[in-house]
């Protein structure tokens, strides 16, 4: 295995280990594992790394979760259109421009965040914040563990 | 932090698994929402939020003082507990010193007291929107919300306001978590910082995995930058990350996470699994 492949493998195993440590409590962990399952080469890795409680439920849960979210989004959009038609006229126009700009900025950034967090595309604004919070914490753990690993292996020599 | 590092290195030298298990048993995963309600009480003047099911969970698991000492502990458990513990430190600093059985009671009594005060504050133009409590495993139960004085009593705007307040509460948590965000006002800028932070963490993970794969390799290899780096619109100044030398042969720009003390159980589990793979 050359360097790049090895790096990718290590990163993949670290991600899977991290995600399985969560015991499917968060959306991003399920997303990582379901993505890893799609590739057949990873089955051995998954079997060794996944925590005992995790089963094949994850993929089904993920699909159901996605479906739920999508249907919720459609429902919400149809409701919002009705509300907007009602509310358009009595709304004040004073601070409209500033709020519009601010909303657009926030929307752009949430889109970027959705791309960063694994499994983030199919989440509404509220849950992406929650998932991002959890993901940040877990990434920190990962970085720490890797630092310790590196220190341990270098001190060994 | 040193203790954990020592145990990690010990493991590599001796390969003992008992260390892990002893570490894991020390930190029981907390299961309660007491801290979660304490978290939600932080904006006490805002709409009253009553979470029914998380309040009633047993306070036993939350009592290990050792666990409370670590500021940003991570749990291999449901995510509300994660934020609640992160938030718990500034809110309930005095409860750390209490002995374990008494610990949960001040938290509960505090939250109930604040709720009563909040209810008394609400005055005219009350329109309670009550929905049947649905205690689902995944979702939060429905909340009872009251319209504040002088505000629209439209059911839609109430729902919108409740949603906004939920989002703002989470954003506050995020602000506390990401270093350097507490001074920034405004959702967009905070989100900027968060994005930068996540990206830098991901890059660190990649460089870390590169180093793990190398071993003795002394060259400077740049990690594969497949993701696009998020460039803000030129409105925010780029934060300056501290440069740390992880290894005399390999210098990477890294964020110095001084305040972070990772939890033991998930880390030890993770290390175990990584070790299996290597």
């Amino acid at each position: 295995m050359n360097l790049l492949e090895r790096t990718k493998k290590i990163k993949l195993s670290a991600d899977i280990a991290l995600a399985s440590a969560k015991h499917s409590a968060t959306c991003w962990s399920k997303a990582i594992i379901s993505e890893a399952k799609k590739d057949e080469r990873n089955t051995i890795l998954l079997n060794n790394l996944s925590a005992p409680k995790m089963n094949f439920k994850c993929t089904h849960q993920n699909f159901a979760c996605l479906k739920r979210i999508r249907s919720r989004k459609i429902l919400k959009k149809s409701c919002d259109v009705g509300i907007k038609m009602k509310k358009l006229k009595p709304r004040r126009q004073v601070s409209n421009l500033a709020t519009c700009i601010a909303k657009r900025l926030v929307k752009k950034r949430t889109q970027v965040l959705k791309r960063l967090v694994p499994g983030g595309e199919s989440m509404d604004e509220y849950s992406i914040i929650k998932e991002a919070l959890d993901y940040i914490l877990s990434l920190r753990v990962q970085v720490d563990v890797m630092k310790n690993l590196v220190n341990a292996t270098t001190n060994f020599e | 932090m040193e203790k954990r590092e020592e145990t990690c290195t010990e493991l590599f030298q001796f390969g003992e698994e008992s260390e892990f298990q002893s570490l894991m048993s020390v930190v029981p995963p907390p299961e309660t929402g007491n801290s979660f309600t304490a978290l939600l009480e932080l904006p006490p003047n805002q709409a009253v939020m009553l979470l029914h099911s998380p309040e009633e969970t047993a306070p036993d698991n939350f009592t290990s003082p050792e666990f409370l000492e670590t500021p940003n502990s991570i749990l291999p458990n449901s995510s509300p507990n994660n934020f609640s513990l992160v938030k718990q430190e500034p809110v309930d600093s005095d409860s750390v010193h209490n002995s374990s059985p008494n610990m949960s009671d001040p938290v509960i009594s505090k939250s109930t007291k604040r709720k009563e005060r909040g209810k008394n504050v609400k005055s005219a133009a009350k329109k309670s929107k009550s929905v049947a409590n649905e205690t689902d495993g995944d979702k939060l139960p429905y909340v009872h919300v009251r319209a504040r004085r002088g505000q629209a009593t439209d059911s839609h705007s109430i729902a919108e306001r409740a949603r906004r307040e939920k989002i703002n509460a989470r954003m506050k948590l995020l602000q506390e978590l990401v270093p350097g965000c507490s001074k920034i006002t405004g959702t967009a800028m905070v989100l900027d910082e968060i994005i930068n932070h996540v990206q830098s963490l991901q890059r660190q993970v990649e460089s870390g995995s590169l180093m793990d794969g190398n071993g003795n390799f002394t060259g400077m290899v740049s990690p594969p930058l497949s993701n696009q780096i998020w460039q803000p619109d030129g409105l925010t100044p780029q934060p300056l990350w501290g440069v740390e030398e992880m290894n005399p042969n390999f210098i990477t720009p890294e964020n110095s996470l001084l305040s972070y003390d990772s939890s033991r159980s998930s880390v030890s589990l993770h290390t175990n699994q990584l070790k299996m793979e290597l």
Side-chain angles (χ1 to χ4, degrees):
Chain A
M1 254 200 231
N2 68 355
L3 188 61
L4 210 59
E5 274 182 38
R6 218 167 358 149
T7 315
K8 282 188 187 165
K9 271 290 176 182
I10 290 179
K11 180 160 188 287
L12 182 67
S13 54
D15 282 339
I16 293 175
L18 191 66
S20 63
K22 276 288 178 180
H23 297 289
S24 309
T26 50
C27 212
W28 63 264
S29 55
K30 293 180 210 165
I32 287 182
I33 295 201
S34 57
E35 216 183 291
K37 276 196 174 164
K38 287 180 192 168
D39 197 350
E40 298 95 21
R41 295 176 291 176
N42 297 338
T43 40
I44 303 173
L45 201 66
L46 277 167
N47 289 336
N48 286 338
L49 284 181
S50 54
K53 283 184 192 170
M54 288 236 320
N55 293 323
F56 298 106
K57 285 185 209 167
C58 352
T59 43
H60 301 299
Q61 266 181 9
N62 205 20
F63 290 147
C65 177
L66 286 174
K67 273 189 203 166
R68 230 187 298 146
I69 289 169
R70 257 181 242 142
S71 55
R72 214 189 291 161
K73 274 188 177 172
I74 294 172
L75 192 65
K76 195 183 169 197
K77 271 187 192 169
S78 56
C79 281
D80 279 347
V81 167
I83 293 169
K84 273 183 189 169
M85 300 300 278
K86 272 191 224 170
K87 283 194 165 181
L88 206 53
K89 283 170 192 176
R91 275 282 182 216
R92 289 172 302 193
Q93 305 279 327
V94 180
S95 55
N96 219 6
L97 188 61
T99 47
C100 273
I101 293 177
K103 273 187 202 168
R104 217 176 297 161
L105 284 179
V106 169
K107 213 174 186 182
K108 243 197 252 179
R109 281 153 174 81
T110 46
Q111 274 174 8
V112 175
L113 195 62
K114 280 185 186 179
R115 256 183 280 143
L116 280 181
V117 175
E121 287 91 11
S122 48
M123 285 193 238
D124 58 334
E125 191 184 305
Y126 177 63
S127 23
I128 187 71
I129 294 181
K130 201 167 101 163
E131 297 291 324
L133 199 63
D134 207 49
Y135 187 56
I136 289 177
L137 284 176
S138 323
L139 274 181
R140 279 193 189 171
V141 173
Q142 210 175 14
V143 166
D144 242 349
V145 166
M146 285 190 159
K147 273 193 210 176
N148 288 330
L149 268 178
V150 167
N151 287 337
T153 48
T154 50
N155 291 338
F156 221 175
E157 289 137 25
Chain B
M1 188 84 162
E2 288 85 26
K3 182 178 162 193
R4 191 173 45 77
E5 281 185 18
E6 267 176 53
T7 48
C8 283
T9 49
E10 264 175 69
L11 281 157
F12 280 104
Q13 291 168 11
F14 302 113
E16 264 176 287
E17 295 220 353
S18 55
E19 293 279 341
F20 280 139
Q21 279 154 11
S22 60
L23 282 173
M24 277 166 70
S25 58
V26 158
V27 184
E31 204 89 45
T32 74
N34 294 336
S35 43
F36 192 55
T37 51
L39 153 71
L40 286 177
E41 292 308 322
L42 285 174
N45 300 329
Q46 305 194 4
V48 173
M49 309 258 282
L50 300 171
L51 291 177
H52 292 268
S53 64
E55 280 174 25
E56 287 145 16
T57 51
D60 320 305
N61 298 333
F62 192 61
T63 58
S64 109
E66 196 182 340
F67 183 75
L68 280 174
E69 276 165 16
T70 62
N72 285 326
S73 316
I74 298 173
L75 312 163
N77 227 358
S78 61
S79 31
N81 293 320
N82 285 345
F83 326 128
S84 59
L85 284 153
V86 167
K87 201 59 186 171
Q88 189 63 21
E89 297 317 307
V91 176
D92 282 336
S93 50
D94 40 342
S95 55
V96 174
H97 305 297
N98 294 344
S99 60
S100 32
N102 300 334
M103 214 284 307
S104 50
D105 299 333
V107 175
I108 298 176
S109 58
K110 249 191 229 177
S111 56
T112 49
K113 270 188 206 164
R114 279 201 200 143
K115 272 181 216 148
E116 285 166 11
R117 240 185 288 146
K119 275 187 192 164
N120 294 336
V121 165
K122 305 294 179 287
S123 54
K126 275 188 225 164
K127 178 181 174 186
S128 58
K129 169 188 170 187
S130 58
V131 185
N133 284 331
E134 182 189 327
T135 50
D136 203 352
D138 303 332
K139 312 179 215 163
L140 286 174
Y142 283 104
V143 297
H144 297 272
V145 179
R146 288 222 167 114
R148 277 182 284 169
R149 185 192 178 119
Q151 298 222 344
T153 56
D154 211 13
S155 65
H156 293 295
S157 53
I158 287 181
E160 222 181 276
R161 201 179 314 131
R163 182 177 160 267
R164 249 184 287 150
E165 268 147 26
K166 263 202 285 181
I167 291 183
N168 285 337
R170 286 283 144 85
M171 293 294 301
K172 269 194 209 171
L173 270 176
L174 275 172
Q175 270 190 312
E176 303 234 345
L177 189 67
V178 178
C181 262
S182 39
K183 302 173 191 169
I184 302 178
T185 50
T187 319
M189 307 301 151
V190 169
L191 282 175
D192 246 354
E193 289 295 321
I194 291 166
I195 288 171
N196 277 334
H197 195 54
V198 168
Q199 271 179 337
S200 71
L201 282 175
Q202 280 177 342
R203 260 178 277 150
Q204 278 181 43
V205 167
E206 284 203 30
S207 65
S209 58
L210 194 76
M211 292 188 61
D212 283 344
N214 285 345
N216 300 330
F217 189 60
T218 57
M220 283 238 310
V221 184
S222 63
L225 295 172
S226 53
N227 307 328
Q228 282 185 9
I229 301 179
W230 162 245
Q231 294 293 341
D233 305 334
L235 301 168
T236 57
Q238 291 288 340
L240 300 169
W241 303 114
V243 175
E244 229 181 66
E245 262 201 35
M246 251 166 62
N247 189 359
N249 301 329
F250 193 93
I251 300 175
T252 60
E254 278 174 24
N255 192 8
S256 53
L257 304 167
L258 297 168
S259 59
Y260 165 62
D261 187 17
S262 63
S263 116
R264 290 139 210 163
S265 56
S266 64
V267 167
S268 52
L269 186 64
H270 192 196
T271 320
N272 192 15
Q273 289 167 341
L274 272 181
K275 190 188 157 220
M276 270 168 59
E277 196 41 38
L278 291 175

